[in-house]
Amino acid sequence: MAMTRIRVGLLPSTQFIAGTLPVPKVKDPNTGEVATDRDTGETLHTLTVFLMEEGRAEQMKITVPESGLPGGLQPGMPVRVAELFATPWARVFNGQLSDGVAYRAAALELVK
């Protein structure tokens, strides 16, 4: 089954704040295998960011390839998210349905 990727449109006033440091994304928790990009083989990282838009804030986890992470990134820093996509997912595990949305960005840039 093909995964649907949806480009996320952001308002010009949308702001992002880094919430955590990026950490390598784990593909298999049992082996510790790190996730890589299917096309480039590049290591993927995840971090929490806070999206602030129209008087509200949302916490979200974003996956970014290693080359898309700026040097010196620290929690609390304002960032710009480039090419943000959302991928809805669902799975049944132990008879229970889990679902959500995975977010992936091409890069983060520090806002000066």
Side-chain angles (χ1 to χ4, degrees):
M1 178 170 159
M3 299 291 281
T4 301
R5 286 183 30 165
I6 303 163
R7 181 178 291 275
V8 177
L10 301 169
L11 297 173
S13 61
T14 301
Q15 297 177 330
F16 288 92
I17 302 290
T20 63
L21 289 173
V23 295
K25 183 175 183 173
V26 176
K27 179 178 182 177
D28 184 344
N30 295 323
T31 65
E33 181 183 1
V34 174
T36 57
D37 183 275
R38 289 182 191 142
D39 297 328
T40 66
E42 188 173 3
T43 300
L44 298 174
H45 289 74
T46 60
L47 71 151
T48 299
V49 298
F50 296 97
L51 174 149
M52 293 174 292
E53 189 174 82
E54 296 186 331
R56 71 185 208 321
E58 301 285 338
Q59 177 181 325
M60 57 193 296
K61 186 183 279 190
I62 295 180
T63 299
V64 182
E66 189 165 19
S67 65
L69 295 170
L73 178 64
Q74 292 293 317
M77 290 182 152
V79 293
R80 186 173 299 110
V81 178
E83 298 181 41
L84 182 61
F85 285 87
T87 304
W89 60 269
R91 70 175 182 196
V92 176
F93 184 74
N94 289 335
Q96 297 291 321
L97 176 65
S98 297
D99 61 355
V101 177
Y103 293 97
R104 170 99 181 242
L108 300 180
E109 303 165 3
L110 296 178
V111 175
K112 307 227 183 229

